[in-house]
Amino acid sequence: ASHTSRRSQDVESLTGCDLKGVRVLVVGAGGIGCELVKNLVLSGFEHITMIDLDTIDYSNLNRQFLFRAADVNESKAKVAKKAVLAFPHAASLSIDAHLGNIKDTEQFGPDFFKTFNIVLNALDNVDARRHVNRLCLSVGIPLIESGTEGYVGQVRAIVK
């Protein structure tokens, strides 16, 4: 815990922000999502929710470092949660992991999005990326858009 509190203090001194109270939604728990959730935990964020509709396949193991062969056919979000909890983290860390489709507006509609301070997209599906973008704009939540399409990757901030 002392490493984590020191890390949180360092992040706060560099950014001027106390990140412990920030509620983060990570959409996608694949290659980019694994990296994002690891960095969030190690940076001292304490309230993280992850959503991914996919399960782990053998072809994911070479680039999605939180997953192991024993995890094949398991939920990417749920295994990513379990894996990052092994890293040094705040005692008050809370991670919710959902196996689900972000386009399911019954479960993940505007009221759900309003509970977060920021959304991080980590998707390779363009239609789902556009859906999250529209939802964030409609409820006024900042979005950090990162995703891949084939071998091309991009990152951009979208703020209303």
Side-chain angles (χ1 to χ4, degrees):
S2 64
H3 292 294
T4 304
S5 59
R6 173 62 194 212
R7 188 176 296 114
S8 296
Q9 292 170 355
D10 290 345
V11 169
E12 186 173 349
S13 69
L14 288 170
T15 64
C17 298
D18 179 4
L19 304 177
K20 292 187 289 283
V22 176
R23 297 184 50 80
V24 181
L25 172 61
V26 178
V27 185
I32 295 172
C34 283
E35 196 62 39
L36 284 174
V37 75
K38 175 208 53 148
N39 290 337
L40 291 169
V41 168
L42 292 176
S43 296
F45 286 86
E46 295 180 0
H47 305 286
I48 303 167
T49 298
M50 297 184 312
I51 302 169
D52 198 300
L53 61 72
D54 207 359
T55 57
I56 299 163
D57 185 78
Y58 279 107
S59 66
N60 303 138
L61 301 180
N62 67 328
R63 66 187 183 286
Q64 297 172 11
F65 69 96
L66 296 177
F67 308 145
R68 303 291 178 259
D71 302 323
V72 169
N73 296 321
E74 299 295 324
S75 160
K76 285 184 176 183
K78 292 178 181 182
V79 171
K81 171 187 174 176
K82 181 180 72 171
V84 297
L85 288 174
F87 297 152
H89 62 275
S92 57
L93 175 63
S94 168
I95 301 178
D96 294 321
H98 301 275
L99 174 63
N101 187 337
I102 194 63
K103 292 172 61 180
D104 175 359
T105 54
E106 292 290 318
Q107 189 173 8
F108 306 120
D111 289 338
F112 175 79
F113 272 73
K114 288 178 188 176
T115 65
F116 299 97
N117 301 103
I118 190 164
V119 176
L120 306 179
N121 244 359
L123 296 167
D124 56 6
N125 179 294
V126 175
D127 188 49
R129 289 165 65 183
R130 288 182 181 138
H131 174 78
V132 172
N133 185 351
R134 283 190 301 271
L135 260 174
C136 287
L137 286 172
S138 74
V139 298
I141 303 295
L143 170 65
I144 304 297
E145 165 66 45
S146 61
T148 60
E149 196 171 354
Y151 292 109
V152 179
Q154 68 171 354
V155 176
R156 64 184 169 159
I158 301 171
V159 181
K160 186 173 182 178

